[in-house]
Amino acid sequence: MEYITMLHIFNVSFRKNDNLLTLMFRKFVQNNFLLMDIKFNKNEDHNKLLVSDLKHRLAKIKLGGGTKSIEKHHSKGKMTARERIDYLLDAKAKSIEIGAFAGDGMYEEYGGCPSGGVVIKIGYIKGKQCIVVANDATVKAGAWFPITGKKNLRAQEIAIENRLPIIYLVDSAGVFLPMQDEIFPDKEHFGRIFRNNAVMSSVGITQIAAVMGSCVAGGAYLPIMSDEALIVDKTGSIFLAGSYLVKAAIGETIDNETLGGATTHCEISGVTDYKAKDDKDALDTIKNIVDKIGDFDKAGYNRIKASKPKENPEHIYGILPKSRADQYDMNDIIKRLVDNSEFEEYKAGYGQTIITGYARIDGWAVGIVANQRQIVKTKGAKTKPSEMQFGGVIYNDSADKATRFIANCNQKKIPLVFLQDVTGFMVGSKSEHGGIIKDGAKMVNAVSNSVVPKFTIVIGNSYGAGNYAMCGKAYDPRLIVAWPSAELAVMSGNSAAKVLLQIETASLKKKGEKITKEKEEELFNKIKSRYDNQVSPYYAASRIWTDGVIDPLDTRTWISMGIEAANHAPIEKPFNLGVLQV
C-alpha cells in the first residue's frame, strides 16, 4: 500500500477546511499512517538485512576453494569455472545460477564443498538459451561428492525437461574416494550421468563437452557420449587410468600427456573432435558451434511485449512481515511481480485462503496460485472467530478452487506459478466432515498431473502437506526457489520443538530424572535451535530441495527465463486427472 500517497490525498482533501474537527481528524489519520509506516519500515529493514546476508553468503561461495586455490589454478594457465562460464555466456545478457548453495555447510570434515564443486548456469550463447555445467577444480580438484552428483543430475533434468542444449566444461579428478559408497553404485549416483547422456542424445538434445583439465576413469565417458568434444592442449587429458595406475596394473611406463593428452586424442585415438590452444580458444569454438544450431519446435506459450510492474517491486521488502504471526495481503506481493501490476482474479469471493488468477510476467501469460495470509471473514463483519478462515491454511473450498483453476490453465496451455506461504491443510471435525482429505487429494492430483510447466517461489512458510499441494520439489516444478524469508519443514520450529520436548521429557522422566522448569526451558531452546537450522532456506538449498535462495527482486527474471526454457519443449501428452474420489 502506498501510505505516503494516501496521506497526501487526505492532506489535500482537508486543506480548505482547517476547522478544529478536520484538524483533529487529519491528526488522527497522520498518526495512524505513521504507525503503519513504522511497521513497513521495520519489515523493510528486516528483509533488506536478509538480502544483504544472502549476497554476503553468495560472495563467499563464489570464491570456490579459496583465493590460494584460485591463484594455483591460474598459475597453470587455466580460467576458473566461473570465469569460463562468464566468458562463454553473452555479455550483458541475463543468466540464473542453479544450486549455488549446494553443499553449503556439508562435508566439513573434508574441508567443505562450496557449490557442490560444480557451477551451473542457464544463460545465452550467441542468443541461444543453454545450460552450462562447469567443474570447479579449485574445490578438491573438481572431485565428485554425493551432492556434486545430485547437482549434475539436476542440470541434466532441466536440460531434458526443457530440451535445452547443455555444455559441459570438464575439469575433474573423478569420484571423491573417501565417500565413494555414497556416489558410485545407486540409481541416482555417478553412473546416471552417462545414462542421461545417452537419453538426451536419443531425443536430439545438443550436448557439447570441453575437456579443460582432468577427465579420469568413468568420467572419461561424459565428453565421448556428447555430440562433440573439445580438448585443451597441455592442460586437458582423458584416460580410464592415469600413468601411475597403468604402471601398477600392467607395468607400462608412460606420461599422462602421451597417454591421454590433446594430441593423442585428436590425432591418434580420434576420441575428441577439436584441439584448442587454451581455455579461451576452446570456449570460442563452443560459441561458434552453438551459433550454427537450428531453431526448435516451440511449445507456444503466450507472450507479448513485457511491461514492468506499476507498483514498486522494492515495496515487497516492507510488505512482507518480519514476524510470521503477522498477516499481509498476498495481492500486494502479486501486484509487484506482474506486468503493469494487472491481475485478473479467478473466483475472488470463493475459497479465499488461496488466490488464483491470470497475469503476465515479463510478457509471458501465467496462471498464479498463491496462499493468502490474511484472515478471511466468510460471513460479514460480525463473523465469529470459529467461522473465520485463517491465512496460510488450505481449506476445502480453497483446495477445490485451486484444482479447477489448475485444470483451466492446462486447458488453455498457460504456465503455472505457485507462490508459497502455507502452513498446511485445515484440521478439525468441521474440515474432516467436509472431506478436506478428498479436496486436498484433488488438488495434489491436479498439481501432479499438470502438463504445463510449473514454477514455485517459496516466499514464507512451506510446511507439511501444504508444500506438496503448492508444488514443492517432489511435484516437478521446472524451477523452484526460495526467498530469504522462507522456511521449509514438516511444521514450524516452535511447533516441532514443543512436540519433541514432550517426547524428550517423557523419556527422561522414565529414567528417573526430575525435570525442572529451567531444565525444560533449556531443552526446548536446544531442540528449537537445532530444528530452526533445518527449516532455513539455506539448509534446503544446500541439499538441492530448491534451486536456490534469491533476492525477491530477481523473481521475475527466474520465472521469465524458466518459461522461455520450457517453450523449447512442446507438450507431449494431454492433461488427465485420472481416477478421483469426487
Side-chain angles (χ1 to χ4, degrees):
M1 187 180 289
E2 306 284 358
Y3 301 120
I4 297 172
T5 303
M6 291 182 68
L7 183 58
H8 173 71
I9 292 168
F10 276 108
N11 281 332
V12 170
S13 299
F14 294 114
R15 191 174 293 151
K16 296 181 181 179
N17 300 295
D18 280 340
N19 56 38
L20 182 60
L21 182 62
T22 55
L23 284 171
M24 288 174 65
F25 183 71
R26 182 166 63 177
K27 190 68 174 175
F28 168 80
V29 170
Q30 288 174 332
N31 287 340
N32 276 276
F33 278 126
L34 181 61
L35 286 171
M36 286 189 281
D37 272 343
I38 289 171
K39 189 174 182 180
F40 182 95
N41 290 338
K42 284 182 177 179
N43 291 339
E44 185 178 45
D45 290 345
H46 172 72
N47 287 306
K48 283 188 174 180
L49 281 172
L50 290 180
V51 171
S52 176
D53 178 54
L54 165 64
K55 292 178 179 178
H56 176 75
R57 288 170 181 258
L58 283 172
K60 185 178 179 181
I61 281 171
K62 287 178 180 179
L63 291 175
T67 52
K68 288 185 178 179
S69 294
I70 291 172
E71 289 169 5
K72 184 178 179 181
H73 193 79
H74 284 160
S75 70
K76 299 175 184 177
K78 298 162 70 175
M79 302 164 74
T80 65
R82 292 185 180 278
E83 289 167 346
R84 287 165 176 168
I85 291 177
D86 288 344
Y87 183 84
L88 183 60
L89 297 181
D90 295 347
K92 298 182 180 179
K94 291 181 178 180
S95 65
I96 54 177
E97 183 171 351
I98 305 296
F101 287 102
D104 185 43
M106 299 169 68
Y107 315 120
E108 296 297 336
E109 65 273 33
Y110 299 113
C113 186
S115 261
V118 62
V119 183
I120 299 170
K121 285 191 178 184
I122 299 175
Y124 301 88
I125 301 172
K126 295 290 186 176
K128 186 173 289 293
Q129 196 178 42
C130 302
I131 185 165
V132 185
V133 181
N135 298 115
D136 187 351
T138 70
V139 179
K140 292 287 187 294
W144 285 55
F145 285 72
I147 199 68
T148 316
K150 187 173 182 179
K151 186 171 175 179
N152 274 269
L153 288 171
R154 176 61 179 144
Q156 290 186 321
E157 180 182 38
I158 291 170
I160 292 168
E161 285 182 330
N162 301 289
R163 299 293 192 269
L164 275 184
I166 184 167
I167 317 298
Y168 306 100
L169 306 181
V170 186
D171 194 346
S172 171
V175 167
F176 185 63
L177 289 177
M179 302 190 75
Q180 64 85 27
D181 61 320
E182 296 182 44
I183 182 62
F184 169 65
D186 209 348
K187 181 179 178 181
E188 301 297 332
H189 283 177
F190 191 74
R192 188 78 172 182
I193 302 290
F194 315 126
R195 176 265 185 193
N196 287 348
N197 287 143
V199 169
M200 284 190 278
S201 181
S202 72
V203 296
I205 298 171
T206 299
Q207 300 175 82
I208 301 169
V211 180
M212 311 180 83
S214 296
C215 188
V216 187
Y221 287 104
L222 186 145
I224 314 314
M225 295 189 75
S226 299
D227 300 339
E228 295 182 85
L230 305 84
I231 186 167
V232 178
D233 196 22
K234 306 304 179 189
T235 56
S237 58
I238 310 172
F239 32 66
L240 294 180
S243 56
Y244 293 122
L245 186 54
V246 168
K247 177 69 173 177
I250 63 173
E252 181 183 1
T253 302
I254 190 171
D255 64 89
N256 282 339
E257 182 64 25
T258 306
L259 181 66
T263 299
T264 295
H265 286 309
C266 286
E267 299 177 17
I268 300 172
S269 72
V271 164
T272 51
D273 307 306
Y274 306 89
K275 181 164 73 171
K277 63 182 180 181
D278 55 28
D279 281 8
K280 287 188 177 181
D281 186 35
L283 298 170
D284 285 334
T285 301
I286 293 172
K287 290 181 184 182
N288 291 333
I289 295 170
V290 172
D291 192 37
K292 311 300 187 300
I293 297 173
D295 204 358
F296 50 87
D297 294 331
K298 296 180 177 64
Y301 302 119
N302 186 300
R303 192 182 198 185
I304 62 173
K305 185 178 178 181
S307 300
K308 293 181 179 179
K310 285 184 179 178
E311 303 287 352
N312 188 351
E314 291 195 7
H315 288 172
I316 288 172
Y317 299 135
I319 294 166
L320 199 63
K322 176 181 178 179
S323 169
R324 293 184 181 278
D326 289 350
Q327 300 176 53
Y328 68 96
D329 188 350
M330 183 63 84
N331 284 292
D332 291 335
I333 301 289
I334 292 171
K335 288 175 183 176
R336 285 158 176 82
L337 294 177
V338 302
D339 291 12
N340 287 320
S341 299
E342 294 175 349
F343 180 60
E344 188 70 29
E345 192 168 356
Y346 170 82
K347 287 186 174 290
Y350 177 69
Q352 294 179 61
T353 63
I354 285 184
I355 298 170
T356 53
Y358 304 104
R360 290 188 182 275
I361 293 179
D362 200 32
W364 294 103
V366 297
I368 294 175
V369 181
N371 302 112
Q372 175 59 290
R373 281 302 305 273
Q374 285 189 329
I375 291 177
V376 178
K377 294 184 177 182
T378 57
K379 296 182 180 179
K382 294 183 179 180
T383 302
K384 297 176 183 178
S386 61
E387 295 173 329
M388 292 178 179
Q389 290 193 346
F390 295 93
V393 180
I394 301 175
Y395 287 77
N396 302 67
D397 52 359
S398 49
D400 174 65
K401 177 173 79 170
T403 301
R404 295 178 65 177
F405 181 72
I406 290 166
N408 280 341
C409 287
N410 276 272
Q411 183 85 352
K412 298 180 178 73
K413 205 161 72 170
I414 300 173
L416 285 159
V417 174
F418 292 83
L419 303 179
Q420 283 195 9
D421 195 345
V422 58
T423 53
F425 285 89
M426 190 58 189
V427 297
S429 61
K430 186 177 179 181
S431 291
E432 296 293 358
H433 296 170
I436 186 64
I437 296 174
K438 179 175 65 179
D439 290 323
K442 286 193 294 185
M443 184 176 174
V444 169
N445 196 309
V447 172
S448 302
N449 287 303
S450 180
V451 295
V452 295
K454 299 165 292 191
F455 302 89
T456 302
I457 314 298
V458 186
I459 289 175
N461 301 324
S462 181
Y463 297 153
N467 170 282
Y468 302 157
M470 290 295 293
C471 198
K473 181 66 180 290
Y475 292 81
D476 299 322
R478 296 295 176 96
L479 295 171
I480 175 171
V481 292
W483 289 359
S485 50
E487 285 190 359
L488 293 85
V490 172
M491 61 183 76
S492 70
N494 196 57
S495 298
K498 287 178 181 178
V499 174
L500 293 170
L501 178 64
Q502 291 177 42
I503 298 170
E504 183 84 8
T505 53
S507 175
L508 291 172
K509 284 177 181 177
K510 281 183 179 180
K511 295 176 182 177
E513 290 191 34
K514 185 179 179 181
I515 306 299
T516 63
K517 187 177 179 181
E518 290 76 17
K519 177 68 174 177
E520 188 174 283
E521 188 176 339
E522 182 187 340
L523 280 171
F524 176 82
N525 290 332
K526 183 180 178 181
I527 294 167
K528 187 175 184 301
S529 175
R530 184 175 70 243
Y531 198 88
D532 283 345
N533 177 59
Q534 293 178 0
V535 304
S536 160
Y538 297 102
Y539 189 93
S542 72
R543 287 150 180 81
I544 318 183
W545 301 344
T546 66
D547 292 315
V549 183
I550 67 167
D551 184 336
L553 301 186
D554 293 331
T555 303
R556 281 170 56 86
T557 297
W558 275 78
I559 294 171
S560 176
M561 289 188 67
I563 299 175
E564 183 181 349
N567 205 34
H568 287 74
I571 296 171
E572 296 178 347
K573 64 177 183 178
F575 176 64
N576 187 340
L577 280 178
V579 177
L580 285 173
Q581 299 244 2
V582 179

